[in-house]
Amino acid sequence: MNTLRNLIVAGCLFFGLASAQAAKVNGIINFQGDTVHMELSGQQNWDYDVKRLDKKGQVVVEMTVPALDESTIGSLSSFKSDFVTAVAVDRKGPDGKNVIQFTLSGEDIETFDYLTDQPSRLIMDFYVNPSAKPKKDGKAVAKKDTQIPTELPAKDVKPVAKAKTDKNRKPAADTLAIADQGVGFAANDSVKSGIFDGGDPDYSRFSVKDYEIKEEAMIRAKDNYYIPFPMLETPVSYWEKMKFTPAIYQISPQSTEENKQARLLLTLFEKQRYGVYLKTQAWFKDKYPKSEYNEVIDFMTADVHLALWQEEGRMKDYDEAMQKYKEAVAKYPRSALAERTSVKTGFLALEKGDALNSLRLFQEHIDNKNFSGKESVSKDLARLGMGLAFMKLNKWTDAIAQFDQVEKEAFNRDLKVEAAYRRGDVWVRGKNYAKAVDEYQKALKKYPEGQSSYPNAFFNQAESLFMMNKYPQSLDTYREFVKKFPSSNHSAFAMTRMGELLEIFGADKSRVMGAYLETYFRYGETPNAVIARLRLLSTRMKGMKPKEVNHAVEEIMSLAKKIDLPNIEQFATVMVADGYTHRGEHQKAVDLLSKYYKEHPTSVDVPLLTNRIVSNINDKLESEVNDGNFIKALKTHSQYADNWLKNSKRLDTKYNVGRAFEMAGVPVEAERYYKDVLNRIYAIRGTAEAKEIQVKEQIPSEDELNLRLSNVFTQEQKYNQAYDYLKNIKTPEKMDEQSQIERVNIAVRLLEKRGDNDSAVRYLGELLRTWKGQPQLVAEPYLKLAELQVKQSKPDEAIQSLEMIDKLQSDSGKISPVIHAKALEMMGDIYLNKKQQDLATGSYEKLLEKYEDNRPLSSIRYKLGQIYFKAGEIQKAAEVWNDFKGDKSGFWKNLAQEQLKNSEWRDGYKKYIKRIPAMSENEQGQ
């Protein structure tokens, strides 16, 4: 639970590290449903801490919070409940804070603390962990051995769970005589069970204002996978009442043996000794074939067979029960039980899934003249059942006709209301979502009293609006559903969908994850909360370690088996693949989706999986190109070109392939791909399709494509076309800095090819004077400017440009070694040409010191030694030439050795001449 708390409030805590504010905190604590709920307010940024401790055998939760006001301290200190047995407040906490101590009743009490904004509140809930093991009671329970007298041997039969009979209730014949005001059976309990959020009862944390909705997020959501949730089918209230209020059988005691045996059968029935009952009943029938108790026994026997079917699931018991019911109704048409049993058989068949047989049974009931007349509740109920049966058989208009008739002709208002609320269900089943929404809204408006009894009108309406892409209305309706029916099994689906809707609207990721976390917290391991858990695991895979990823994948696939939803395996597979995508493991995602596609060729959602596979292939291509691994990128393209990418229309894929060819030095192929992309962009410019592609794909701008085409035409030496594409760049200032520099370099190269060095220099000079981006990016333009200045015979200006490169390297250390090395070499060459040997040697020595270990600079070392050699510093030259490095320095090393040998011969020759006077004089004269 601490982990859940940390996940939910980590972002809030980050900003709440300041000391407690002077303002006092106020709050309330109360019992809501099955939860103790404490709510504090009065702070914008909460700085608090929660610890769970074991003090002298008692479980204590300590919560450190900003100082509380007196009324809050009083209400907390006086609070007691079954969960929290005592609350104490220590006013002398750290940093002026208060420490609240909650003493819990046991280990099975869990806590959940979280923050809300708008308004800002700190909330703590205490609840019983449903998975905690109950404490064993050491006391033995004495069982009374009840013996049932019978002439036949008794056989133990496992009892069937059955509602306890109310001894004071009226006979079963009265169960359909319901007042016109209706029953409260389906009304929602006023106490909202489950984890009810008293701090935000309207669930406003899930609301999104119009200005918060991001169009790009909604476009991107079109490619997301949203599994359809099952329709919420509200039980038929009268049928539910019949099931839980079984018939009451009474046999008045008499002194006859027949009466005694009949009462024995009733006792066996009430004690649920069904096996013994059936044997005794057969014996009784043989002995008393014309018994006055046969009517009760025949209906009772049918109930026994039904109970056996419900317990053991044997079809023969169901068939026997239905046959017995049919025979009893036919044999005793005037019985008080006949009408009730007749309509019961129709609902039993409907509940079992036998819609066709239920239609026949309901129609027989309606046609039976022995039952009540025009105002019969049972016949209206049968028509309601027929509507449901037609709906199960996909006979939409027939179903609507039955519901229309019930609403129009029924005398009981409850049935009218129910029929109206059922019409929307018909169109949900028929996937006519617009009609479904219309019918639900009409019912809610016409019969507002049914709002608390028919959750289908909210959940199914919200799901219909979702399927119609009416997302804001869908979110509002889901919120209304969760607010009214927090304990519904479908509330987990609703909260999951609200999280998905927040993502569709482009809400902050923390809010989306918060919705899924809350769903999982509220509804735990229930099947309906599985989808939220799958989305959580998929998103979290990005930050997991490899072993954790493997466990997450196993959990996702395992959880998917716990819920019976269409295409749940496909959904789980997509969630795992999305997790791999978030991690950048695109090949794993492609392999997983491809495998599923091949294994389920007839049931797979082809567009969904194909789009995801192609998207991952493109992401893989882009990643490889960005890493400079163009060979791997071209291999990836070749691997999928004839299968997954064959019919793909993605522009970013073509662009990335073009980049790979450009990097590989194949400008002709790059040109073809770039032109295809640019022409397509021109064709859809200004359309909705263009906007959708811009959001869904990582496509370049028109200016970027023109730049790439200009570069490849320059490589192809097609300078006129290169210049034309360069001119097509309309807003160079909106391009990234690297592209802006590249554009300048291409322009200078083209101007240079035209022989217009002066314009090239002006172009570069203007860029360098106005550049405000990353300094290291202008190193290459400075180098080019220096080259042009040398051609213009402006060595001093060239040196200034080169010195700027050296300064940028000193300041940032981020200049490309290639550019810096070229700059130092060119600077040395210029100084050498200007006869400034000292400065030249300084540049060369700096070049050798920084880059000789990693670059072939033997020619520079030879040049440096030669400067010293020509200056007569032979020893210095020898020292320089003695340090040649690398396997390819042999030529320059040999050349240097020859120079040194010649120098030694000349020195020896001079010494010999000086010893001969005539030659010495001649030498001097010369």
Side-chain angles (χ1 to χ4, degrees), residues 538-561:
S538 176
T539 304
R540 289 176 175 173
M541 281 175 65
K542 181 178 181 180
M544 290 180 181
K545 297 176 182 178
K547 285 186 179 180
E548 293 173 331
V549 171
N550 294 335
H551 289 313
V553 171
E554 290 175 6
E555 185 178 352
I556 288 173
M557 301 313 295
S558 173
L559 285 170
K561 296 176 182 177

Side-chain angles (χ1 to χ4, degrees), residues 8-126:
I8 293 174
V9 304
C12 301
L13 289 176
F14 180 79
F15 294 104
L17 296 177
S19 60
Q21 296 180 9
K24 296 284 185 178
V25 169
N26 57 77
I28 58 170
I29 186 168
N30 53 34
F31 201 88
Q32 295 181 349
D34 56 359
T35 305
V36 171
H37 179 85
M38 185 191 73
E39 181 177 308
L40 302 178
S41 60
Q43 297 282 299
Q44 190 61 36
N45 296 314
W46 291 91
D47 181 12
Y48 74 102
D49 186 43
V50 178
K51 295 178 181 178
R52 189 181 182 97
L53 307 171
D54 189 349
K55 291 188 175 182
K56 298 180 181 179
Q58 288 188 317
V59 181
V60 176
V61 173
E62 285 191 352
M63 189 176 194
T64 305
V65 298
L68 304 170
D69 62 23
E70 290 300 322
S71 63
T72 301
I73 293 174
S75 62
L76 287 173
S77 301
S78 61
F79 181 82
K80 289 183 180 179
S81 75
D82 292 340
F83 296 170
V84 182
T85 58
V87 182
V89 179
D90 182 2
R91 303 169 189 263
K92 298 179 180 179
D95 301 325
K97 298 179 182 177
N98 291 172
V99 179
I100 312 172
Q101 293 186 343
F102 302 89
T103 303
L104 308 185
S105 60
E107 289 284 352
D108 59 339
I109 306 301
E110 292 284 354
T111 63
F112 181 66
D113 57 285
Y114 53 101
L115 298 172
T116 66
D117 52 8
Q118 301 176 358
S120 175
R121 286 172 177 156
L122 170 59
I123 297 170
M124 170 84 88
D125 286 335
F126 300 81

